[in-house]
């Protein structure tokens, strides 16, 4: 079922989460270890991330460096299909611009369509590791809005090759990312909001946000979106803090602010086990307030470790 239909039929706030494909060489059992503690709380759908290949330099016996391209977390499509058909839970595989040509993107969408997967989350994706800025694949989509347009185009039977025979229209529900505290590369929040509206106008059906730790920033973001004509569902993304280094790492990477009360609570912790508990308690309070405000979905970022998410969801749902 499409995410937008799941939301429209819901009578109360839904629970969903995101997971990572396992590292290459691992088995599907790692996915099961993430899902099974959470499946008891009836997730409405599960997101599966996509990770672009990395360029690494390997020293050869001659002393020369060989450039290799390594995909550390393959399997997004396979993991998505495995979840859908083993657990009977709808899935939302991520699609990114980096490392895909438009033809490869189209082929991935065709595979998803054949598998009966109705949803995608369209993202630009991160820059290559070590790169100063994002560079798209030659012949690929440069921005998330380009990817949205391609998926929406396929929904209307528009293929990369206009001479493609037997034109079949897909019917994907398209999600996009929103940033309550603006995207780290946006010059200001107003520009970022206009870019988000352009993605919605191009065919996106709903928005899921980057993590945030101050609910007022989310509520303000929703008001700003509505004020400029963005009327699709806006889903808050929640990631509980779990280690002390998050105090510096998260603001640096994701351009977010941490509330002073949270910073002080983490500062009093003696170890990361205590930090993880603080993150759970903050996540419970944050989730309860959002749920009381009537958000359509509470979406959690597990990072492959479900124990803290389970503790939050147990108290909220």
């Amino acid at each position: 079922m499409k995410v937008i239909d799941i939301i429209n039929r819901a009578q109360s706030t839904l629970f969903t989460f995101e997971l990572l494909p396992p590292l290459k060489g691992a088995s599907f059992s790692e996915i099961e270890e993430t899902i099974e503690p959470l499946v008891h709380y009836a997730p409405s759908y599960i997101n599966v991330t996509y990770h672009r290949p990395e360029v690494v330099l390997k020293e050869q016996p001659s002393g020369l460096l060989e450039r290799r391209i390594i995909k550390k977390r393959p399997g997004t499509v396979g993991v998505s299909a495995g979840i859908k058909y083993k657990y009977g839970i709808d899935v939302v595989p991520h699609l990114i611009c980096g490392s895909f040509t438009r033809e490869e993107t189209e082929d991935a969408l065709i595979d998803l369509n054949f598998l009966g997967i109705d949803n995608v989350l369209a993202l630009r994706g991160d820059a290559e590791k070590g790169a100063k800025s994002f560079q798209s694949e030659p012949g690929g989509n440069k921005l998330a809005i380009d990817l949205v347009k391609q998926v929406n185009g396929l929904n209307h039977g528009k293929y990369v090759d206009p001479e493609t025979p037997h034109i079949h229209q897909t019917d994907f529900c398209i999600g996009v990312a929103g940033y309550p505290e603006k995207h780290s590369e946006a010059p200001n929040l107003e520009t970022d909001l206009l870019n988000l509206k352009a993605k919605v106008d191009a065919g996106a059906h709903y928005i899921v946000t980057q993590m945030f730790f101050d609910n007022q920033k989310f509520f303000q973001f929703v008001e700003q979106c509505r004020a400029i004509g963005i009327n699709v569902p806006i889903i808050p993304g929640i990631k509980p803090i779990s280690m002390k280094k998050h105090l510096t790492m998260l603001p640096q990477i994701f351009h977010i602010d941490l509330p002073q009360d949270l910073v002080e609570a983490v500062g009093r912790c003696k170890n990361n086990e205590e930090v993880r508990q603080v993150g759970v308690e903050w996540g419970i309070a944050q989730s309860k307030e959002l749920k009381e405000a009537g958000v359509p979905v509470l979406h959690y970022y597990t990072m492959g470790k479900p124990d803290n998410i389970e503790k939050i969801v147990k108290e909220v749902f």
Side-chain angles (χ1 to χ4, degrees), residues 185-253:
E185 297 175 24
N188 53 56
L189 182 57
E190 182 180 0
T191 298
D192 202 35
L193 286 167
L194 292 174
N195 289 337
L196 179 58
K197 185 177 188 303
K199 289 190 288 187
V200 172
D201 291 345
H205 298 94
Y206 70 96
I207 297 163
V208 60
T209 76
Q210 180 179 261
M211 73 183 78
F212 58 91
F213 293 89
D214 181 348
N215 284 350
Q216 294 308 310
K217 293 184 183 294
F218 173 78
F219 295 139
Q220 184 178 15
F221 172 71
V222 173
E223 290 179 2
Q224 291 168 321
C225 286
R226 302 307 185 217
I228 62 171
I230 297 174
N231 296 312
V232 298
I234 301 175
I235 298 168
I238 307 297
K239 174 182 166 36
I241 199 165
S242 58
M243 56 186 71
K244 278 203 170 187
K245 68 179 183 180
H246 280 166
L247 292 183
T248 54
M249 186 177 74
L250 295 180
Q252 180 181 12
I253 295 175

Side-chain angles (χ1 to χ4, degrees), residues 108-119:
L109 289 166
I110 290 169
D111 285 343
L112 293 173
N113 184 61
F114 286 157
L115 287 166
I117 293 172
D118 301 318
N119 308 286

Side-chain angles (χ1 to χ4, degrees), residues 153-185:
L154 202 63
N155 282 349
H156 291 85
K158 183 179 178 181
Y159 287 72
V160 173
D161 180 358
E163 297 182 4
T164 300
H166 311 300
I167 297 301
H168 168 73
Q169 295 182 354
T170 57
D171 191 23
F172 289 106
C173 175
I174 307 167
V176 293
Y179 302 86
E181 298 171 74
K182 94 171 183 64
H183 190 280
S184 60
E185 297 175 24

Side-chain angles (χ1 to χ4, degrees), residues 18-38:
E18 175 183 295
L19 53 75
L20 289 68
L23 290 167
K24 182 180 286 188
S27 70
F28 192 78
S29 63
E30 288 198 12
I31 296 298
E32 295 169 331
E33 289 170 5
T34 300
I35 291 176
E36 290 181 1
L38 300 175

Side-chain angles (χ1 to χ4, degrees), residues 38-281:
L38 300 175
V39 75
H40 304 293
Y41 302 97
S44 296
Y45 57 86
I46 298 173
N47 277 35
V48 183
T49 61
Y50 189 95
H51 299 257
R52 70 181 299 166
E54 296 181 16
V55 177
V56 297
L57 298 177
K58 295 283 187 179
E59 186 173 358
Q60 301 303 302
S62 64
L64 296 175
L65 295 177
E66 179 185 1
R67 184 177 183 270
R68 294 185 184 175
I69 298 176
I70 298 176
K71 198 170 186 179
K72 292 185 177 180
R73 292 186 183 272
T76 298
V77 173
V79 167
S80 298
I83 293 170
K84 177 178 175 66
Y85 291 106
K86 175 167 184 175
Y87 294 97
I89 299 172
D90 286 292
V91 288
V92 184
H94 293 193
L95 284 179
I96 63 172
C97 297
S99 78
F100 279 104
T101 64
R102 284 176 51 79
E103 287 82 2
E104 290 168 337
T105 296
E106 183 174 274
D107 290 345
L109 289 166
I110 290 169
D111 285 343
L112 293 173
N113 184 61
F114 286 157
L115 287 166
I117 293 172
D118 301 318
N119 308 286
V120 293
L121 187 69
L123 306 166
R124 188 201 69 178
D126 297 328
E128 283 187 301
K129 191 174 181 180
K132 293 182 180 180
S133 61
F134 176 84
Q135 297 294 327
S136 62
E137 191 78 8
N141 293 305
K142 295 182 178 180
L143 299 170
I145 188 172
D146 301 320
L147 185 51
V148 172
K149 288 178 179 178
Q150 181 174 5
V151 180
N152 192 44
L154 202 63
N155 282 349
H156 291 85
K158 183 179 178 181
Y159 287 72
V160 173
D161 180 358
E163 297 182 4
T164 300
H166 311 300
I167 297 301
H168 168 73
Q169 295 182 354
T170 57
D171 191 23
F172 289 106
C173 175
I174 307 167
V176 293
Y179 302 86
E181 298 171 74
K182 94 171 183 64
H183 190 280
S184 60
E185 297 175 24
N188 53 56
L189 182 57
E190 182 180 0
T191 298
D192 202 35
L193 286 167
L194 292 174
N195 289 337
L196 179 58
K197 185 177 188 303
K199 289 190 288 187
V200 172
D201 291 345
H205 298 94
Y206 70 96
I207 297 163
V208 60
T209 76
Q210 180 179 261
M211 73 183 78
F212 58 91
F213 293 89
D214 181 348
N215 284 350
Q216 294 308 310
K217 293 184 183 294
F218 173 78
F219 295 139
Q220 184 178 15
F221 172 71
V222 173
E223 290 179 2
Q224 291 168 321
C225 286
R226 302 307 185 217
I228 62 171
I230 297 174
N231 296 312
V232 298
I234 301 175
I235 298 168
I238 307 297
K239 174 182 166 36
I241 199 165
S242 58
M243 56 186 71
K244 278 203 170 187
K245 68 179 183 180
H246 280 166
L247 292 183
T248 54
M249 186 177 74
L250 295 180
Q252 180 181 12
I253 295 175
F254 298 102
H255 195 82
I256 58 175
D257 290 333
L258 300 179
Q260 186 61 23
D261 288 351
L262 178 58
V263 172
E264 291 175 357
V266 171
R268 291 192 293 268
C269 293
K270 298 175 184 178
N271 51 51
N272 281 337
E273 184 178 351
E274 292 184 1
V275 173
R276 202 166 181 85
Q277 183 57 33
V278 167
V280 167
E281 293 170 2

